[in-house]
Amino acid sequence: MSDIHHHTDDLKIVGKRYYGRWLSALVVLLCVVAMAHSMINNPRFEWSVIAENFTGESILQGVLMTLQLTAISVVLGFAFGTVLALMRLSSNPVLVGVSWFYTWFFRGVPMLVQLFLWYNIAALYPTIALSIPGLGEIWSTQSNALVSPFSAAVIALVMHQSAYAAEIVRAGIQSVGNGQLEAARALGYRPSQIFRHTILPQAMRAIMPPAGNEIIGQLKTTAVVSVISLQDVLFSAQIIYQRTYEVIPLLLVATLWYLLMTSVLSVGQFYVERYFGRGVTRREKRSLLKSLPGFSAAKAERSVSNG
């Protein structure tokens, strides 16, 4: 019996070897290294031109315009989208129908078409006036003076964003169980209190992931305003390369700025999601490192090998 116990102590646990996994990783790594070597050593990329223009005054003004358009359209779009979602969930058939039609229309028409429609609204309504029955016209202005390229871009972006935000908010509200609502009513909460204290905090866990993706998508959607000569980051790059003919380097400058801005938004999205999900994740505190691809798989593999 002692001999058996002695031999058992000498046994070692050997983890499973994943030869196919390591081979595929090596092939992918070699492809990545080859692509990086080609990009670094290809003189046509003109990295010096990229570095020179990356923080240029015109480019930075375009970045600020892009961020401004994104912030305005997201804040107003989700505010209006929340109203549309509540209308859609209402028992009033008129409100439901109006909300459904609005969402159907602005989700179905491409963003570029909407932008051109608002930019050329003067062709339909040359003059915008406000009249009161019995008093007549009390205010009027020319549409071209009222709807500038910036205001046309804001209107188009807000209406486009609100249609998608309405569906995101509606799905989040519907994810809250009826039991929660019944409990709140039993405690004597008013409808406004139920929405603020019961529905909204729980719905935010379902709203934040798609909302974060929508905000990042909206930042990239703002690039369409360059077609109406509004100076965002893409239009700023176009102005420069039309003068210098350095097309690829300037497009790469715009690309790097979009990657930088979306990366910052992705980090912000992670922490906001962690904040609203703090009552659900109990085992360990989520960190940005642990959310990276491959971290969980590597951790699981180590635990199996050590087990």
Side-chain angles (χ1 to χ4, degrees):
M1 192 73 178
S2 60
D3 292 339
I4 295 175
H5 182 72
H6 177 72
H7 289 301
T8 304
D9 293 339
D10 293 338
L11 296 177
K12 295 182 179 180
I13 298 176
V14 180
K16 183 178 179 181
R17 292 177 173 84
Y18 299 93
Y19 296 107
R21 179 186 300 177
W22 287 107
L23 180 60
S24 60
L26 179 61
V27 172
V28 172
L29 183 60
L30 289 175
C31 293
V32 171
V33 170
M35 291 177 62
H37 181 270
S38 173
M39 293 173 63
I40 293 173
N41 293 280
N42 188 343
R44 294 183 178 87
F45 277 94
E46 300 183 73
W47 294 106
S48 60
V49 177
I50 295 173
E52 179 183 353
N53 289 277
F54 188 75
T55 55
E57 182 180 356
S58 177
I59 294 295
L60 292 180
Q61 290 177 355
V63 170
L64 290 177
M65 176 60 73
T66 296
L67 293 175
Q68 184 179 1
L69 288 172
T70 303
I72 294 174
S73 62
V74 166
V75 172
L76 296 182
F78 271 89
F80 190 32
T82 302
V83 174
L84 289 170
L86 295 176
M87 290 172 60
R88 185 73 177 273
L89 296 172
S90 171
S91 57
N92 188 322
V94 175
L95 297 181
V96 173
V98 171
S99 176
W100 178 89
F101 179 82
Y102 181 98
T103 304
W104 167 78
F105 181 83
F106 285 101
R107 284 201 308 172
V109 179
M111 175 62 204
L112 190 58
V113 177
Q114 295 180 40
L115 182 63
F116 281 134
L117 284 174
W118 286 108
Y119 186 64
N120 296 283
I121 193 66
L124 293 174
Y125 298 97
T127 303
I128 298 177
L130 177 63
S131 301
I132 297 179
L135 295 178
E137 184 179 293
I138 62 174
W139 175 83
S140 66
T141 185
Q142 296 295 316
S143 298
N144 284 329
L146 184 64
V147 183
S148 63
F150 179 78
S151 58
V154 168
I155 294 172
L157 288 168
V158 168
M159 291 194 163
H160 176 80
Q161 180 66 78
S162 60
Y164 287 90
E167 293 299 285
I168 293 173
V169 174
R170 182 172 68 90
I173 292 174
Q174 289 180 326
S175 69
V176 180
N178 289 329
Q180 301 287 335
L181 306 182
E182 293 173 1
R185 293 192 190 99
L187 292 173
Y189 281 17
R190 296 190 299 273
S192 60
Q193 292 177 317
I194 294 175
F195 181 75
R196 291 198 311 269
H197 301 297
T198 303
I199 297 177
L200 193 59
Q202 297 183 66
M204 289 301 291
R205 288 199 298 266
I207 291 173
M208 281 314 303
N213 292 333
E214 191 62 31
I215 292 171
I216 292 173
Q218 185 73 349
L219 186 144
K220 294 182 293 182
T221 301
T222 58
V224 302
V225 303
S226 61
V227 301
I228 58 173
S229 301
L230 193 61
Q231 191 176 351
D232 70 324
V233 64
L234 178 59
F235 188 72
S236 299
Q238 290 174 331
I239 291 175
I240 297 174
Y241 74 61
Q242 286 172 0
R243 184 180 68 252
T244 63
Y245 300 102
E246 295 166 333
V247 178
I248 296 300
L250 269 301
L251 288 178
L252 288 176
V253 168
T255 299
L256 292 175
W257 268 113
Y258 280 117
L259 287 173
L260 178 61
M261 290 186 287
T262 55
S263 297
V264 172
L265 288 178
S266 297
V267 173
Q269 177 187 356
F270 168 81
Y271 285 106
V272 172
E273 286 183 18
R274 189 177 74 173
Y275 173 79
F276 284 105
R278 62 191 184 278
V280 177
T281 307
R282 296 194 177 98
R283 292 186 177 181
E284 59 179 353
K285 190 174 182 179
R286 292 178 60 202
S287 67
L288 187 61
L289 177 63
K290 294 177 182 179
S291 67
L292 294 176
F295 183 90
S296 301
K299 182 178 179 181
E301 183 179 341
R302 286 198 301 272
S303 63
V304 171
S305 300
N306 295 333

mmCIF file with all atom_site columns, all heavy atoms in Angstrom, residues 185-207:
data_model
loop_
_atom_site.group_PDB
_atom_site.id
_atom_site.type_symbol
_atom_site.label_atom_id
_atom_site.label_alt_id
_atom_site.label_comp_id
_atom_site.label_asym_id
_atom_site.label_entity_id
_atom_site.label_seq_id
_atom_site.pdbx_PDB_ins_code
_atom_site.Cartn_x
_atom_site.Cartn_y
_atom_site.Cartn_z
_atom_site.occupancy
_atom_site.B_iso_or_equiv
_atom_site.pdbx_formal_charge
_atom_site.auth_seq_id
_atom_site.auth_comp_id
_atom_site.auth_asym_id
_atom_site.auth_atom_id
_atom_site.pdbx_PDB_model_num
ATOM 1   N N   . ARG A 1 185 ? -45.581 49.812 -7.657  1.00 0.00 ? 185 ARG A N   1
ATOM 2   C CA  . ARG A 1 185 ? -46.942 50.323 -7.509  1.00 0.00 ? 185 ARG A CA  1
ATOM 3   C C   . ARG A 1 185 ? -47.485 49.990 -6.115  1.00 0.00 ? 185 ARG A C   1
ATOM 4   O O   . ARG A 1 185 ? -48.208 50.787 -5.508  1.00 0.00 ? 185 ARG A O   1
ATOM 5   C CB  . ARG A 1 185 ? -47.847 49.722 -8.584  1.00 0.00 ? 185 ARG A CB  1
ATOM 6   C CG  . ARG A 1 185 ? -47.510 50.174 -10.007 1.00 0.00 ? 185 ARG A CG  1
ATOM 7   C CD  . ARG A 1 185 ? -48.605 49.773 -10.967 1.00 0.00 ? 185 ARG A CD  1
ATOM 8   N NE  . ARG A 1 185 ? -48.204 49.983 -12.355 1.00 0.00 ? 185 ARG A NE  1
ATOM 9   C CZ  . ARG A 1 185 ? -47.759 49.026 -13.158 1.00 0.00 ? 185 ARG A CZ  1
ATOM 10  N NH1 . ARG A 1 185 ? -47.669 47.765 -12.720 1.00 0.00 ? 185 ARG A NH1 1
ATOM 11  N NH2 . ARG A 1 185 ? -47.409 49.303 -14.409 1.00 0.00 ? 185 ARG A NH2 1
ATOM 12  N N   . ALA A 1 186 ? -47.132 48.783 -5.619  1.00 0.00 ? 186 ALA A N   1
ATOM 13  C CA  . ALA A 1 186 ? -47.607 48.379 -4.293  1.00 0.00 ? 186 ALA A CA  1
ATOM 14  C C   . ALA A 1 186 ? -47.036 49.274 -3.200  1.00 0.00 ? 186 ALA A C   1
ATOM 15  O O   . ALA A 1 186 ? -47.669 49.478 -2.151  1.00 0.00 ? 186 ALA A O   1
ATOM 16  C CB  . ALA A 1 186 ? -47.219 46.927 -4.033  1.00 0.00 ? 186 ALA A CB  1
ATOM 17  N N   . LEU A 1 187 ? -45.834 49.832 -3.445  1.00 0.00 ? 187 LEU A N   1
ATOM 18  C CA  . LEU A 1 187 ? -45.219 50.735 -2.475  1.00 0.00 ? 187 LEU A CA  1
ATOM 19  C C   . LEU A 1 187 ? -45.752 52.161 -2.586  1.00 0.00 ? 187 LEU A C   1
ATOM 20  O O   . LEU A 1 187 ? -45.337 53.042 -1.825  1.00 0.00 ? 187 LEU A O   1
ATOM 21  C CB  . LEU A 1 187 ? -43.700 50.747 -2.666  1.00 0.00 ? 187 LEU A CB  1
ATOM 22  C CG  . LEU A 1 187 ? -42.979 49.444 -2.296  1.00 0.00 ? 187 LEU A CG  1
ATOM 23  C CD1 . LEU A 1 187 ? -41.515 49.520 -2.699  1.00 0.00 ? 187 LEU A CD1 1
ATOM 24  C CD2 . LEU A 1 187 ? -43.114 49.171 -0.795  1.00 0.00 ? 187 LEU A CD2 1
ATOM 25  N N   . GLY A 1 188 ? -46.651 52.396 -3.547  1.00 0.00 ? 188 GLY A N   1
ATOM 26  C CA  . GLY A 1 188 ? -47.271 53.704 -3.682  1.00 0.00 ? 188 GLY A CA  1
ATOM 27  C C   . GLY A 1 188 ? -46.498 54.685 -4.533  1.00 0.00 ? 188 GLY A C   1
ATOM 28  O O   . GLY A 1 188 ? -46.735 55.896 -4.444  1.00 0.00 ? 188 GLY A O   1
ATOM 29  N N   . TYR A 1 189 ? -45.563 54.186 -5.358  1.00 0.00 ? 189 TYR A N   1
ATOM 30  C CA  . TYR A 1 189 ? -44.789 55.089 -6.217  1.00 0.00 ? 189 TYR A CA  1
ATOM 31  C C   . TYR A 1 189 ? -45.679 55.663 -7.318  1.00 0.00 ? 189 TYR A C   1
ATOM 32  O O   . TYR A 1 189 ? -46.536 54.989 -7.864  1.00 0.00 ? 189 TYR A O   1
ATOM 33  C CB  . TYR A 1 189 ? -43.624 54.336 -6.863  1.00 0.00 ? 189 TYR A CB  1
ATOM 34  C CG  . TYR A 1 189 ? -42.433 54.140 -5.957  1.00 0.00 ? 189 TYR A CG  1
ATOM 35  C CD1 . TYR A 1 189 ? -42.538 54.292 -4.585  1.00 0.00 ? 189 TYR A CD1 1
ATOM 36  C CD2 . TYR A 1 189 ? -41.198 53.790 -6.493  1.00 0.00 ? 189 TYR A CD2 1
ATOM 37  C CE1 . TYR A 1 189 ? -41.448 54.097 -3.762  1.00 0.00 ? 189 TYR A CE1 1
ATOM 38  C CE2 . TYR A 1 189 ? -40.094 53.597 -5.674  1.00 0.00 ? 189 TYR A CE2 1
ATOM 39  C CZ  . TYR A 1 189 ? -40.227 53.753 -4.307  1.00 0.00 ? 189 TYR A CZ  1
ATOM 40  O OH  . TYR A 1 189 ? -39.147 53.568 -3.502  1.00 0.00 ? 189 TYR A OH  1
ATOM 41  N N   . ARG A 1 190 ? -45.452 56.946 -7.627  1.00 0.00 ? 190 ARG A N   1
ATOM 42  C CA  . ARG A 1 190 ? -46.114 57.559 -8.768  1.00 0.00 ? 190 ARG A CA  1
ATOM 43  C C   . ARG A 1 190 ? -45.438 57.105 -10.060 1.00 0.00 ? 190 ARG A C   1
ATOM 44  O O   . ARG A 1 190 ? -44.291 56.634 -10.029 1.00 0.00 ? 190 ARG A O   1
ATOM 45  C CB  . ARG A 1 190 ? -46.058 59.094 -8.654  1.00 0.00 ? 190 ARG A CB  1
ATOM 46  C CG  . ARG A 1 190 ? -46.816 59.645 -7.465  1.00 0.00 ? 190 ARG A CG  1
ATOM 47  C CD  . ARG A 1 190 ? -46.916 61.169 -7.559  1.00 0.00 ? 190 ARG A CD  1
ATOM 48  N NE  . ARG A 1 190 ? -45.591 61.769 -7.562  1.00 0.00 ? 190 ARG A NE  1
ATOM 49  C CZ  . ARG A 1 190 ? -44.911 62.101 -6.465  1.00 0.00 ? 190 ARG A CZ  1
ATOM 50  N NH1 . ARG A 1 190 ? -45.440 61.858 -5.264  1.00 0.00 ? 190 ARG A NH1 1
ATOM 51  N NH2 . ARG A 1 190 ? -43.736 62.680 -6.550  1.00 0.00 ? 190 ARG A NH2 1
ATOM 52  N N   . PRO A 1 191 ? -46.137 57.229 -11.221 1.00 0.00 ? 191 PRO A N   1
ATOM 53  C CA  . PRO A 1 191 ? -45.527 56.771 -12.482 1.00 0.00 ? 191 PRO A CA  1
ATOM 54  C C   . PRO A 1 191 ? -44.165 57.390 -12.759 1.00 0.00 ? 191 PRO A C   1
ATOM 55  O O   . PRO A 1 191 ? -43.249 56.715 -13.230 1.00 0.00 ? 191 PRO A O   1
ATOM 56  C CB  . PRO A 1 191 ? -46.566 57.197 -13.540 1.00 0.00 ? 191 PRO A CB  1
ATOM 57  C CG  . PRO A 1 191 ? -47.862 57.183 -12.808 1.00 0.00 ? 191 PRO A CG  1
ATOM 58  C CD  . PRO A 1 191 ? -47.548 57.636 -11.422 1.00 0.00 ? 191 PRO A CD  1
ATOM 59  N N   . SER A 1 192 ? -43.996 58.691 -12.468 1.00 0.00 ? 192 SER A N   1
ATOM 60  C CA  . SER A 1 192 ? -42.696 59.321 -12.694 1.00 0.00 ? 192 SER A CA  1
ATOM 61  C C   . SER A 1 192 ? -41.635 58.739 -11.776 1.00 0.00 ? 192 SER A C   1
ATOM 62  O O   . SER A 1 192 ? -40.475 58.560 -12.180 1.00 0.00 ? 192 SER A O   1
ATOM 63  C CB  . SER A 1 192 ? -42.810 60.834 -12.478 1.00 0.00 ? 192 SER A CB  1
ATOM 64  O OG  . SER A 1 192 ? -43.233 61.127 -11.148 1.00 0.00 ? 192 SER A OG  1
ATOM 65  N N   . GLN A 1 193 ? -42.006 58.428 -10.527 1.00 0.00 ? 193 GLN A N   1
ATOM 66  C CA  . GLN A 1 193 ? -41.051 57.821 -9.597  1.00 0.00 ? 193 GLN A CA  1
ATOM 67  C C   . GLN A 1 193 ? -40.699 56.403 -10.007 1.00 0.00 ? 193 GLN A C   1
ATOM 68  O O   . GLN A 1 193 ? -39.549 55.970 -9.864  1.00 0.00 ? 193 GLN A O   1
ATOM 69  C CB  . GLN A 1 193 ? -41.637 57.830 -8.179  1.00 0.00 ? 193 GLN A CB  1
ATOM 70  C CG  . GLN A 1 193 ? -41.772 59.210 -7.572  1.00 0.00 ? 193 GLN A CG  1
ATOM 71  C CD  . GLN A 1 193 ? -42.416 59.158 -6.202  1.00 0.00 ? 193 GLN A CD  1
ATOM 72  O OE1 . GLN A 1 193 ? -43.397 58.429 -5.985  1.00 0.00 ? 193 GLN A OE1 1
ATOM 73  N NE2 . GLN A 1 193 ? -41.884 59.926 -5.264  1.00 0.00 ? 193 GLN A NE2 1
ATOM 74  N N   . ILE A 1 194 ? -41.689 55.674 -10.519 1.00 0.00 ? 194 ILE A N   1
ATOM 75  C CA  . ILE A 1 194 ? -41.426 54.313 -10.989 1.00 0.00 ? 194 ILE A CA  1
ATOM 76  C C   . ILE A 1 194 ? -40.418 54.334 -12.126 1.00 0.00 ? 194 ILE A C   1
ATOM 77  O O   . ILE A 1 194 ? -39.488 53.516 -12.170 1.00 0.00 ? 194 ILE A O   1
ATOM 78  C CB  . ILE A 1 194 ? -42.739 53.631 -11.437 1.00 0.00 ? 194 ILE A CB  1
ATOM 79  C CG1 . ILE A 1 194 ? -43.660 53.423 -10.234 1.00 0.00 ? 194 ILE A CG1 1
ATOM 80  C CG2 . ILE A 1 194 ? -42.457 52.303 -12.130 1.00 0.00 ? 194 ILE A CG2 1
ATOM 81  C CD1 . ILE A 1 194 ? -45.028 52.867 -10.605 1.00 0.00 ? 194 ILE A CD1 1
ATOM 82  N N   . PHE A 1 195 ? -40.585 55.304 -13.032 1.00 0.00 ? 195 PHE A N   1
ATOM 83  C CA  . PHE A 1 195 ? -39.657 55.386 -14.169 1.00 0.00 ? 195 PHE A CA  1
ATOM 84  C C   . PHE A 1 195 ? -38.250 55.743 -13.714 1.00 0.00 ? 195 PHE A C   1
ATOM 85  O O   . PHE A 1 195 ? -37.281 55.142 -14.156 1.00 0.00 ? 195 PHE A O   1
ATOM 86  C CB  . PHE A 1 195 ? -40.167 56.412 -15.180 1.00 0.00 ? 195 PHE A CB  1
ATOM 87  C CG  . PHE A 1 195 ? -39.284 56.545 -16.389 1.00 0.00 ? 195 PHE A CG  1
ATOM 88  C CD1 . PHE A 1 195 ? -39.285 55.575 -17.377 1.00 0.00 ? 195 PHE A CD1 1
ATOM 89  C CD2 . PHE A 1 195 ? -38.437 57.638 -16.530 1.00 0.00 ? 195 PHE A CD2 1
ATOM 90  C CE1 . PHE A 1 195 ? -38.466 55.683 -18.490 1.00 0.00 ? 195 PHE A CE1 1
ATOM 91  C CE2 . PHE A 1 195 ? -37.608 57.765 -17.633 1.00 0.00 ? 195 PHE A CE2 1
ATOM 92  C CZ  . PHE A 1 195 ? -37.627 56.782 -18.613 1.00 0.00 ? 195 PHE A CZ  1
ATOM 93  N N   . ARG A 1 196 ? -38.132 56.740 -12.806 1.00 0.00 ? 196 ARG A N   1
ATOM 94  C CA  . ARG A 1 196 ? -36.806 57.209 -12.393 1.00 0.00 ? 196 ARG A CA  1
ATOM 95  C C   . ARG A 1 196 ? -36.091 56.227 -11.487 1.00 0.00 ? 196 ARG A C   1
ATOM 96  O O   . ARG A 1 196 ? -34.881 56.021 -11.620 1.00 0.00 ? 196 ARG A O   1
ATOM 97  C CB  . ARG A 1 196 ? -36.919 58.563 -11.688 1.00 0.00 ? 196 ARG A CB  1
ATOM 98  C CG  . ARG A 1 196 ? -37.313 59.721 -12.582 1.00 0.00 ? 196 ARG A CG  1
ATOM 99  C CD  . ARG A 1 196 ? -36.979 61.052 -11.916 1.00 0.00 ? 196 ARG A CD  1
ATOM 100 N NE  . ARG A 1 196 ? -37.455 61.111 -10.539 1.00 0.00 ? 196 ARG A NE  1
ATOM 101 C CZ  . ARG A 1 196 ? -38.653 61.567 -10.167 1.00 0.00 ? 196 ARG A CZ  1
ATOM 102 N NH1 . ARG A 1 196 ? -39.499 61.976 -11.101 1.00 0.00 ? 196 ARG A NH1 1
ATOM 103 N NH2 . ARG A 1 196 ? -39.008 61.611 -8.905  1.00 0.00 ? 196 ARG A NH2 1
ATOM 104 N N   . HIS A 1 197 ? -36.812 55.627 -10.558 1.00 0.00 ? 197 HIS A N   1
ATOM 105 C CA  . HIS A 1 197 ? -36.166 54.841 -9.511  1.00 0.00 ? 197 HIS A CA  1
ATOM 106 C C   . HIS A 1 197 ? -36.214 53.331 -9.739  1.00 0.00 ? 197 HIS A C   1
ATOM 107 O O   . HIS A 1 197 ? -35.434 52.595 -9.119  1.00 0.00 ? 197 HIS A O   1
ATOM 108 C CB  . HIS A 1 197 ? -36.798 55.154 -8.152  1.00 0.00 ? 197 HIS A CB  1
ATOM 109 C CG  . HIS A 1 197 ? -36.705 56.599 -7.768  1.00 0.00 ? 197 HIS A CG  1
ATOM 110 N ND1 . HIS A 1 197 ? -35.502 57.240 -7.567  1.00 0.00 ? 197 HIS A ND1 1
ATOM 111 C CD2 . HIS A 1 197 ? -37.673 57.534 -7.576  1.00 0.00 ? 197 HIS A CD2 1
ATOM 112 C CE1 . HIS A 1 197 ? -35.717 58.508 -7.246  1.00 0.00 ? 197 HIS A CE1 1
ATOM 113 N NE2 . HIS A 1 197 ? -37.028 58.714 -7.257  1.00 0.00 ? 197 HIS A NE2 1
ATOM 114 N N   . THR A 1 198 ? -37.113 52.869 -10.585 1.00 0.00 ? 198 THR A N   1
ATOM 115 C CA  . THR A 1 198 ? -37.250 51.418 -10.781 1.00 0.00 ? 198 THR A CA  1
ATOM 116 C C   . THR A 1 198 ? -36.892 50.999 -12.202 1.00 0.00 ? 198 THR A C   1
ATOM 117 O O   . THR A 1 198 ? -36.042 50.122 -12.406 1.00 0.00 ? 198 THR A O   1
ATOM 118 C CB  . THR A 1 198 ? -38.692 50.966 -10.465 1.00 0.00 ? 198 THR A CB  1
ATOM 119 O OG1 . THR A 1 198 ? -39.020 51.350 -9.133  1.00 0.00 ? 198 THR A OG1 1
ATOM 120 C CG2 . THR A 1 198 ? -38.820 49.454 -10.608 1.00 0.00 ? 198 THR A CG2 1
ATOM 121 N N   . ILE A 1 199 ? -37.529 51.634 -13.194 1.00 0.00 ? 199 ILE A N   1
ATOM 122 C CA  . ILE A 1 199 ? -37.336 51.200 -14.577 1.00 0.00 ? 199 ILE A CA  1
ATOM 123 C C   . ILE A 1 199 ? -35.966 51.612 -15.110 1.00 0.00 ? 199 ILE A C   1
ATOM 124 O O   . ILE A 1 199 ? -35.188 50.784 -15.597 1.00 0.00 ? 199 ILE A O   1
ATOM 125 C CB  . ILE A 1 199 ? -38.454 51.756 -15.476 1.00 0.00 ? 199 ILE A CB  1
ATOM 126 C CG1 . ILE A 1 199 ? -39.814 51.196 -15.051 1.00 0.00 ? 199 ILE A CG1 1
ATOM 127 C CG2 . ILE A 1 199 ? -38.186 51.418 -16.938 1.00 0.00 ? 199 ILE A CG2 1
ATOM 128 C CD1 . ILE A 1 199 ? -40.983 51.758 -15.841 1.00 0.00 ? 199 ILE A CD1 1
ATOM 129 N N   . LEU A 1 200 ? -35.658 52.906 -15.015 1.00 0.00 ? 200 LEU A N   1
ATOM 130 C CA  . LEU A 1 200 ? -34.446 53.430 -15.647 1.00 0.00 ? 200 LEU A CA  1
ATOM 131 C C   . LEU A 1 200 ? -33.155 52.807 -15.123 1.00 0.00 ? 200 LEU A C   1
ATOM 132 O O   . LEU A 1 200 ? -32.303 52.402 -15.922 1.00 0.00 ? 200 LEU A O   1
ATOM 133 C CB  . LEU A 1 200 ? -34.408 54.949 -15.509 1.00 0.00 ? 200 LEU A CB  1
ATOM 134 C CG  . LEU A 1 200 ? -33.377 55.667 -16.385 1.00 0.00 ? 200 LEU A CG  1
ATOM 135 C CD1 . LEU A 1 200 ? -33.637 55.358 -17.863 1.00 0.00 ? 200 LEU A CD1 1
ATOM 136 C CD2 . LEU A 1 200 ? -33.435 57.174 -16.154 1.00 0.00 ? 200 LEU A CD2 1
ATOM 137 N N   . PRO A 1 201 ? -32.956 52.687 -13.788 1.00 0.00 ? 201 PRO A N   1
ATOM 138 C CA  . PRO A 1 201 ? -31.692 52.078 -13.325 1.00 0.00 ? 201 PRO A CA  1
ATOM 139 C C   . PRO A 1 201 ? -31.482 50.652 -13.818 1.00 0.00 ? 201 PRO A C   1
ATOM 140 O O   . PRO A 1 201 ? -30.356 50.261 -14.139 1.00 0.00 ? 201 PRO A O   1
ATOM 141 C CB  . PRO A 1 201 ? -31.826 52.124 -11.798 1.00 0.00 ? 201 PRO A CB  1
ATOM 142 C CG  . PRO A 1 201 ? -32.790 53.227 -11.531 1.00 0.00 ? 201 PRO A CG  1
ATOM 143 C CD  . PRO A 1 201 ? -33.775 53.175 -12.656 1.00 0.00 ? 201 PRO A CD  1
ATOM 144 N N   . GLN A 1 202 ? -32.563 49.871 -13.901 1.00 0.00 ? 202 GLN A N   1
ATOM 145 C CA  . GLN A 1 202 ? -32.423 48.494 -14.363 1.00 0.00 ? 202 GLN A CA  1
ATOM 146 C C   . GLN A 1 202 ? -32.325 48.418 -15.886 1.00 0.00 ? 202 GLN A C   1
ATOM 147 O O   . GLN A 1 202 ? -31.626 47.568 -16.423 1.00 0.00 ? 202 GLN A O   1
ATOM 148 C CB  . GLN A 1 202 ? -33.612 47.662 -13.872 1.00 0.00 ? 202 GLN A CB  1
ATOM 149 C CG  . GLN A 1 202 ? -33.698 47.560 -12.355 1.00 0.00 ? 202 GLN A CG  1
ATOM 150 C CD  . GLN A 1 202 ? -34.837 46.676 -11.908 1.00 0.00 ? 202 GLN A CD  1
ATOM 151 O OE1 . GLN A 1 202 ? -34.838 45.474 -12.147 1.00 0.00 ? 202 GLN A OE1 1
ATOM 152 N NE2 . GLN A 1 202 ? -35.830 47.270 -11.259 1.00 0.00 ? 202 GLN A NE2 1
ATOM 153 N N   . ALA A 1 203 ? -33.033 49.321 -16.554 1.00 0.00 ? 203 ALA A N   1
ATOM 154 C CA  . ALA A 1 203 ? -32.990 49.314 -18.017 1.00 0.00 ? 203 ALA A CA  1
ATOM 155 C C   . ALA A 1 203 ? -31.626 49.731 -18.550 1.00 0.00 ? 203 ALA A C   1
ATOM 156 O O   . ALA A 1 203 ? -31.235 49.320 -19.644 1.00 0.00 ? 203 ALA A O   1
ATOM 157 C CB  . ALA A 1 203 ? -34.073 50.238 -18.573 1.00 0.00 ? 203 ALA A CB  1
ATOM 158 N N   . MET A 1 204 ? -30.883 50.548 -17.788 1.00 0.00 ? 204 MET A N   1
ATOM 159 C CA  . MET A 1 204 ? -29.593 51.039 -18.260 1.00 0.00 ? 204 MET A CA  1
ATOM 160 C C   . MET A 1 204 ? -28.606 49.911 -18.522 1.00 0.00 ? 204 MET A C   1
ATOM 161 O O   . MET A 1 204 ? -27.734 50.036 -19.386 1.00 0.00 ? 204 MET A O   1
ATOM 162 C CB  . MET A 1 204 ? -29.008 52.023 -17.255 1.00 0.00 ? 204 MET A CB  1
ATOM 163 C CG  . MET A 1 204 ? -29.725 53.365 -17.202 1.00 0.00 ? 204 MET A CG  1
ATOM 164 S SD  . MET A 1 204 ? -29.719 54.225 -18.784 1.00 0.00 ? 204 MET A SD  1
ATOM 165 C CE  . MET A 1 204 ? -27.995 54.646 -18.926 1.00 0.00 ? 204 MET A CE  1
ATOM 166 N N   . ARG A 1 205 ? -28.713 48.804 -17.792 1.00 0.00 ? 205 ARG A N   1
ATOM 167 C CA  . ARG A 1 205 ? -27.819 47.660 -18.033 1.00 0.00 ? 205 ARG A CA  1
ATOM 168 C C   . ARG A 1 205 ? -28.026 47.087 -19.425 1.00 0.00 ? 205 ARG A C   1
ATOM 169 O O   . ARG A 1 205 ? -27.077 46.620 -20.056 1.00 0.00 ? 205 ARG A O   1
ATOM 170 C CB  . ARG A 1 205 ? -28.041 46.579 -16.972 1.00 0.00 ? 205 ARG A CB  1
ATOM 171 C CG  . ARG A 1 205 ? -27.520 46.937 -15.597 1.00 0.00 ? 205 ARG A CG  1
ATOM 172 C CD  . ARG A 1 205 ? -27.355 45.698 -14.743 1.00 0.00 ? 205 ARG A CD  1
ATOM 173 N NE  . ARG A 1 205 ? -28.621 45.018 -14.528 1.00 0.00 ? 205 ARG A NE  1
ATOM 174 C CZ  . ARG A 1 205 ? -29.407 45.218 -13.474 1.00 0.00 ? 205 ARG A CZ  1
ATOM 175 N NH1 . ARG A 1 205 ? -29.065 46.102 -12.558 1.00 0.00 ? 205 ARG A NH1 1
ATOM 176 N NH2 . ARG A 1 205 ? -30.539 44.566 -13.336 1.00 0.00 ? 205 ARG A NH2 1
ATOM 177 N N   . ALA A 1 206 ? -29.267 47.105 -19.899 1.00 0.00 ? 206 ALA A N   1
ATOM 178 C CA  . ALA A 1 206 ? -29.547 46.606 -21.251 1.00 0.00 ? 206 ALA A CA  1
ATOM 179 C C   . ALA A 1 206 ? -29.343 47.677 -22.304 1.00 0.00 ? 206 ALA A C   1
ATOM 180 O O   . ALA A 1 206 ? -29.058 47.377 -23.462 1.00 0.00 ? 206 ALA A O   1
ATOM 181 C CB  . ALA A 1 206 ? -30.984 46.065 -21.318 1.00 0.00 ? 206 ALA A CB  1
ATOM 182 N N   . ILE A 1 207 ? -29.481 48.949 -21.910 1.00 0.00 ? 207 ILE A N   1
ATOM 183 C CA  . ILE A 1 207 ? -29.363 50.045 -22.865 1.00 0.00 ? 207 ILE A CA  1
ATOM 184 C C   . ILE A 1 207 ? -27.911 50.355 -23.195 1.00 0.00 ? 207 ILE A C   1
ATOM 185 O O   . ILE A 1 207 ? -27.574 50.641 -24.353 1.00 0.00 ? 207 ILE A O   1
ATOM 186 C CB  . ILE A 1 207 ? -30.071 51.304 -22.318 1.00 0.00 ? 207 ILE A CB  1
ATOM 187 C CG1 . ILE A 1 207 ? -31.585 51.096 -22.300 1.00 0.00 ? 207 ILE A CG1 1
ATOM 188 C CG2 . ILE A 1 207 ? -29.709 52.536 -23.134 1.00 0.00 ? 207 ILE A CG2 1
ATOM 189 C CD1 . ILE A 1 207 ? -32.346 52.224 -21.622 1.00 0.00 ? 207 ILE A CD1 1
#
